[in-house]
């Protein structure tokens, strides 16, 4: 889910806290930030089972700041899209390119820029190159740094 969020949401970041944190309780939470606002995702297991397919989780979006409600809706929509269209498909095919590879030399897909490499993920329905995080397929966006 975090990988999907990182490659489809402008402003993606990760929120961490200590074990005593009231925010994320020692976990790493997917988040999106814009201006002075933040929305982040937490989850609780509501049903445990031996078979992972039978386990149930409940997701919660928390938001702060003047644009918090809009960011929360964007993050919730991303979770719904992942659940409906991506969740059961496994990891997408990925190409790893050197960090200095120009956009024009990358294969089609969603691009995640890291300090040492550019990862290009190909998902069904998102066949055009997107440079950076959060751009709709076929458009360019600033490169994401994680």
């Amino acid at each position: 889910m975090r990988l999907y969020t990182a490659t489809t949401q402008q402003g993606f970041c990760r929120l961490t806290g200590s074990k005593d944190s009231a925010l994320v309780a020692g976990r790493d939470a997917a988040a999106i930030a814009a201006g002075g606002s933040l929305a982040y995702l937490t989850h609780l297991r509501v049903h445990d089972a031996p078979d992972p397919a039978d386990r149930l989780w409940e997701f919660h979006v928390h938001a702060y700041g003047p644009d918090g409600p809009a960011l929360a809706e964007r993050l919730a929509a991303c979770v719904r899209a992942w659940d409906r269209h991506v969740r059961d498909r496994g990891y997408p095919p990925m190409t790893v390119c050197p960090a200095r590879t120009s956009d024009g030399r990358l294969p089609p897909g969603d691009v995640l820029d890291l300090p040492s490499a550019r990862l290009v993920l190909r998902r069904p329905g998102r066949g055009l190159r997107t440079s950076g995080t959060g751009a709709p397929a076929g458009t360019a966006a600033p490169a994401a740094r994680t």
Side-chain angles (χ1 to χ4, degrees):
M1 220 286 296
R2 277 181 260 189
L3 183 58
Y4 180 75
T5 307
T7 57
T8 62
Q9 296 300 304
Q10 186 71 33
F12 172 80
C13 56
R14 293 173 23 203
L15 183 63
T16 60
S18 67
K19 289 183 180 183
D20 301 328
S21 171
L23 293 176
V24 294
R27 296 184 184 186
D28 182 315
I32 52 176
S37 299
L38 172 76
Y40 69 93
L41 186 67
T42 61
H43 60 279
L44 323 163
R45 188 180 310 191
V46 294
H47 177 72
D48 199 5
D51 184 351
D54 294 331
R55 295 177 190 154
L56 294 176
W57 296 84
E58 184 175 275
F59 290 86
H60 298 263
V61 177
H62 306 271
Y64 301 92
D67 294 325
L71 291 178
E73 181 50 44
R74 222 175 84 202
L75 189 52
C78 179
V79 171
R80 287 189 295 270
W82 169 80
D83 184 49
R84 292 178 184 145
H85 308 293
V86 178
R87 181 182 202 157
D88 295 327
R89 294 180 183 243
Y91 288 102
M94 178 173 57
T95 303
V96 179
C97 299
R100 296 178 193 246
T101 304
S102 68
D103 287 349
R105 296 187 53 104
L106 294 174
D110 293 312
V111 179
L112 185 60
D113 287 320
L114 303 174
S116 60
R118 300 188 82 186
L119 309 179
V120 182
L121 298 112
R122 292 180 307 273
R123 291 189 179 88
R126 293 184 60 86
L128 299 174
R129 179 175 27 263
T130 60
S131 177
T133 300
T139 64
R145 295 283 174 198
T146 58

